[in-house]
Amino acid sequence: MSALASQALPEADEQSRRGWWPSTLGWRIALILLGGLALAYGLSLASIMRERQGLADTMMRAYVARDLASSVGVLDRLPVAERVAWLAPLSRPNYRLALGDEPAAAVASGVEPSAMAQGLAVELRQRLGDSRVQAVQPEGERGAVFRLKLADGTPLSVHLAPPLRGVSLANAALLLAQLTVLGACVAWAVRLATRPLAQLVQAADRLGADPQSDVLPPDDAKAPDEVRRAHAAFQAMQARIREHMAERLQLLAAISHDLQTPITRLRLRTEALADHSLRDKFQADLLGMQRLVEEGLAYARTVHASAEPACPVELHALLDGLVCDYTDAGRAVSLDAPATLVLTTRPLAVQRIVGNLVDNALKFAGAAEVYAQTQTQDGATVVHIAVRDRGPGVPADQLARITEPFVRLEASRNADTGGSGLGLAIAQRLAQAIGGRLTLRHRDGGGLEAVLTLPQPGLG
């Protein structure tokens, strides 16, 4: 697996740990609301069906008992030869009459007649008398067979069919339509609730790239009060960040300017020192001070990288010019990039980022490899610019810290090895300012790989 492709593994691991639970707030709210409504509907339907079943059983018991008593009275008065012809007219959709002891459909042993059948037997005994109702037996899944006797002692079997249970297709379609309407209302409510949050997230991302830009849409007078207050608070925060960044830049610029004169004065005075060894030490310290001041000012200015206009640029030519400068100076830097790749970016910022990464690789490994390729992620095209080395690498617990300002894993005061701790921090801030992402990871076989990922809406 390539190093660039392996960056999707943490996201895949996170998704596997999350399981079926959705990752976005909107889907979570929608799932909870829809699940709660569906459960409430199910419980309400179960309660209604239970009550409906009880009412139907009560009404059916009284109706069937009265109807069967009338049918038995008719059969009692009919001649024996005519009784068979009257069985079909006297039968009903929910029960069937038969002369004689017809066997009941097989059922599992130990099964008792339903409560409705037993209640109907009680009703029949009240209407016909206990001697006329011989027995009641279960039949099939929920049916029953009543063993009756006519006035002359002729056996009469009544096969009772179970009443229809469940929800009709029309009612099921109505419930589905209700749930659909509720789902649409839930989706609308969730969108109204989460849309301002999504706008704040996008605004926060844009704010990190360019604090000077208008990162939020204009305030909507029809928006809820909570959204308008959050809108106002975010704009106030943006204004304070702008003031803070301007103040910090002004302070660093003033310090840098004011330190130039005393540093130059001290360098001139060191020239008068007779001790050459002591003079060289003083001048090395003054040179380190000068470099630290300049890099601090460069770090403060990275917030204005987005002010550089984006333009189409040929990536190979951009990187080749940078690499040639290093090779002309005798440094071991190689390039592998597509020759025809044209992308829309801020070229000066990209050159500064790649230059800082190459300087870091040369400092610790003595050689650097610059590599570029395009890749599709989540349906969007991105460009990866990687700077690789075979140096000593970085401890795993320090990998996330080395892009912080003034963090140096090598504590030496030597500028060639320890440095000021701002090179990677500047590259990180510049990457954020131009809408990219800088990722550091270990290489197989040793060394470090720094990858600058740039989204490319204008890739050609």
Side-chain angles (χ1 to χ4, degrees):
M1 180 183 298
S2 66
L4 292 177
S6 64
Q7 64 186 359
L9 290 179
E11 298 179 359
D13 293 341
E14 179 66 21
Q15 184 64 30
S16 64
R17 287 193 297 269
R18 189 182 299 121
W20 60 270
W21 190 240
S23 60
T24 62
L25 178 62
W27 277 108
R28 290 182 180 183
I29 295 177
L31 184 61
I32 292 173
L33 290 178
L34 287 176
L37 288 172
L39 180 60
Y41 257 72
L43 293 175
S44 299
L45 180 62
S47 176
I48 293 173
M49 293 299 297
R50 185 170 179 269
E51 184 177 356
R52 176 184 173 185
Q53 176 183 342
L55 181 60
D57 289 346
T58 302
M59 294 179 63
M60 181 178 177
R61 185 170 61 237
Y63 157 72
V64 172
R66 184 174 61 251
D67 205 24
L68 277 177
S70 300
S71 298
V72 171
V74 171
L75 292 175
D76 284 340
R77 290 169 173 79
L78 287 173
V80 176
E82 297 180 8
R83 288 175 179 176
V84 175
W86 280 86
L87 292 178
L90 292 176
S91 297
R92 298 291 183 267
N94 54 344
Y95 66 84
R96 178 177 60 85
L97 301 178
L99 291 173
D101 291 328
E102 284 193 354
V107 295
S109 60
V111 176
E112 296 293 332
S114 65
M116 192 274 293
Q118 294 178 3
L120 180 57
V122 173
E123 291 279 348
L124 289 174
R125 287 190 177 98
Q126 292 176 354
R127 293 177 180 274
L128 299 176
D130 292 340
S131 61
R132 304 285 294 271
V133 181
Q134 299 296 308
V136 55
Q137 301 171 342
E139 182 180 42
E141 292 185 3
R142 298 200 328 268
V145 177
F146 297 88
R147 306 300 184 183
L148 308 179
K149 290 178 66 176
L150 297 179
D152 59 359
T154 302
L156 177 67
S157 297
V158 180
H159 297 264
L160 181 68
L164 295 178
R165 311 286 185 182
V167 181
S168 64
L169 291 178
N171 287 334
L174 180 59
L175 289 174
L176 181 60
Q178 290 176 340
L179 289 176
T180 302
V181 172
L182 286 175
C185 293
V186 167
W188 186 25
V190 169
R191 184 176 182 273
L192 289 178
T194 58
R195 183 180 179 184
L197 182 60
Q199 290 178 343
L200 286 178
V201 171
Q202 295 173 359
D205 292 337
R206 292 193 295 268
L207 180 63
D210 184 10
Q212 305 300 324
S213 63
D214 294 329
V215 295
L216 273 178
D219 192 6
D220 185 3
K222 298 181 180 180
D225 292 340
E226 295 81 2
V227 174
R228 299 184 65 186
R229 286 197 295 269
H231 189 283
F234 193 92
Q235 288 186 324
M237 179 190 67
Q238 183 182 8
R240 290 193 295 269
I241 291 176
R242 288 174 178 173
E243 295 173 359
H244 171 71
M245 299 304 299
E247 180 182 358
R248 186 178 71 167
L249 179 60
Q250 184 178 3
L251 177 63
L252 287 176
I255 293 175
S256 177
H257 180 270
D258 292 343
L259 285 178
Q260 296 291 337
T261 300
I263 290 176
T264 302
R265 189 185 302 120
L266 288 173
R267 293 182 65 180
L268 291 175
R269 289 177 179 176
T270 57
E271 295 293 339
L273 293 176
D275 189 338
H276 294 286
S277 176
L278 182 61
R279 181 183 62 190
D280 292 339
K281 292 180 180 179
F282 271 117
Q283 289 184 347
D285 288 339
L286 292 173
L287 182 60
M289 292 174 59
Q290 180 73 29
R291 184 178 301 172
L292 181 61
V293 169
E294 293 175 352
E295 291 188 356
L297 184 59
Y299 176 73
R301 286 174 175 166
T302 56
V303 297
H304 299 285
S306 58
E308 178 189 357
C311 61
V313 62
E314 188 178 280
L315 183 60
H316 187 277
L318 179 69
L319 298 178
D320 185 64
L322 181 66
V323 171
C324 286
D325 291 339
Y326 283 102
T327 55
D328 290 344
R331 311 306 297 269
V333 181
S334 61
L335 173 64
D336 182 8
T340 59
L341 178 59
V342 177
L343 56 90
T344 301
T345 188
R346 297 174 173 88
L348 295 181
V350 173
Q351 281 186 326
R352 182 70 186 276
I353 295 170
V354 178
N356 281 14
L357 297 178
V358 171
D359 288 340
N360 184 77
L362 292 175
K363 181 186 300 183
F364 294 100
E369 305 169 15
V370 181
Y371 174 78
Q373 73 171 17
T374 59
Q375 192 177 31
T376 301
Q377 293 182 350
D378 299 329
T381 301
V382 297
V383 174
H384 296 295
I385 303 175
V387 177
R388 304 166 175 171
D389 64 60
R390 288 297 183 185
V394 178
D397 57 342
Q398 299 292 323
L399 194 60
R401 296 186 61 247
I402 59 176
T403 56
E404 299 177 5
F406 302 105
V407 173
R408 295 180 296 179
L409 301 184
E410 204 277 335
S412 170
R413 292 180 180 270
N414 187 345
D416 291 334
T417 57
S420 62
L422 285 175
L424 291 178
I426 292 173
Q428 179 74 286
R429 289 296 300 273
L430 283 173
Q432 295 173 354
I434 64 176
R437 184 178 71 253
L438 182 62
T439 306
L440 303 179
R441 51 176 166 262
H442 297 104
R443 294 185 66 186
D444 295 336
L448 189 69
E449 180 180 48
V451 182
L452 172 63
T453 302
L454 297 173
Q456 282 309 301
L459 185 63

